[in-house]
Each structure stands twice: as structure tokens, then as C-alpha cells.
Amino acid sequence: MDDCATCDTAGVPSAGSLPWDIDATTKALIQRVRAGRMRELRHDVPLDDMVALLESDQHYTISSFMECLDCGRVLAWQLCIRGNPILRHADVEEVDRWRWSPVPPRERWARR
């Protein structure tokens, strides 16, 4: 498969020890969704809220699955409170197979 200028360039490498810069990669994904180049398929919380939930330490793994509207592949963005962030392509079937767990009420962790 050819490289995709939309989803294959969404990850922003970290200058530190993490593989991905969490804030910059999240912003890059938000920009692609807002530009109509990707769409969120399913998530624990919307992309805009992922970092706030991560920083609250109230949900172990925060997942978001997006479809790239340029190439049709699914991208998974997952933030873990005790692990590295994960950005990878996933099978569309994984969206429904993922073990979704309840998210604490938004007022306990949201910034605004």
C-alpha cells in the first residue's frame, strides 16, 4: 500500500524518551478530523479530551479509533497512564472488539 499523506504523517515524534509527542500528535489528529481528512469512529472520549483524561490518572488506557478518509485505513491513538503512547494502523473490526471500559464522569477530570 502506498504511504498516505494524511494518516502516515499524523504522529509527531517525541524529543524525549516517548515514541510520540502526546500533545502534538493529539493536535495533529484533531486538525485532520476538523479538516475533514479523518473521522472519529469510536473513542473513550473525543480527541479534545484525551490528554486531560490521561493527566487525571483516572482511566488506564484511553483509546480513539479514526478512519482516514484519504486512504480508508483505521488509525488507533492510545494513551496509557503507565506506558508509552501508541499510534498504529488497526483493522476496522478491532473497533468493535476493543475492550471498552467506563470512563469516570467528565466533571472529575475535565479541564473546563
Side-chain angles (χ1 to χ4, degrees):
M1 178 175 278
D2 293 329
D3 291 340
C4 175
T6 298
C7 65
D8 287 339
T9 62
V12 179
S14 172
S17 61
L18 297 177
W20 303 109
D21 182 307
I22 293 172
D23 288 325
T25 298
T26 301
K27 287 177 186 173
L29 291 167
I30 290 168
Q31 290 171 345
R32 284 162 172 77
V33 169
R34 288 185 181 155
R37 296 172 64 197
M38 299 183 87
R39 72 179 176 102
E40 291 184 80
L41 295 174
R42 190 165 177 193
H43 48 69
D44 287 306
V45 295
L47 287 167
D48 289 320
D49 288 333
M50 287 184 75
V51 174
L53 181 56
L54 174 70
E55 290 172 346
S56 77
D57 283 348
Q58 294 186 37
H59 195 71
Y60 187 74
T61 301
I62 303 132
S63 298
S64 182
F65 290 88
M66 292 141 288
E67 177 184 18
C68 177
L69 298 176
D70 289 337
C71 73
R73 294 183 292 172
V74 173
L75 200 60
W77 177 228
Q78 297 165 311
L79 305 178
C80 308
I81 61 173
R82 290 181 185 83
N84 288 332
I86 300 166
L87 182 66
R88 63 184 173 81
H89 285 100
D91 292 325
V92 70
E93 294 85 20
E94 185 178 346
V95 177
D96 292 326
R97 285 194 324 254
W98 185 256
R99 292 184 185 166
W100 299 98
S101 58
V103 174
R106 191 172 194 282
E107 58 271 5
R108 287 183 32 203
W109 52 266
R111 292 181 182 159
R112 48 184 150 82

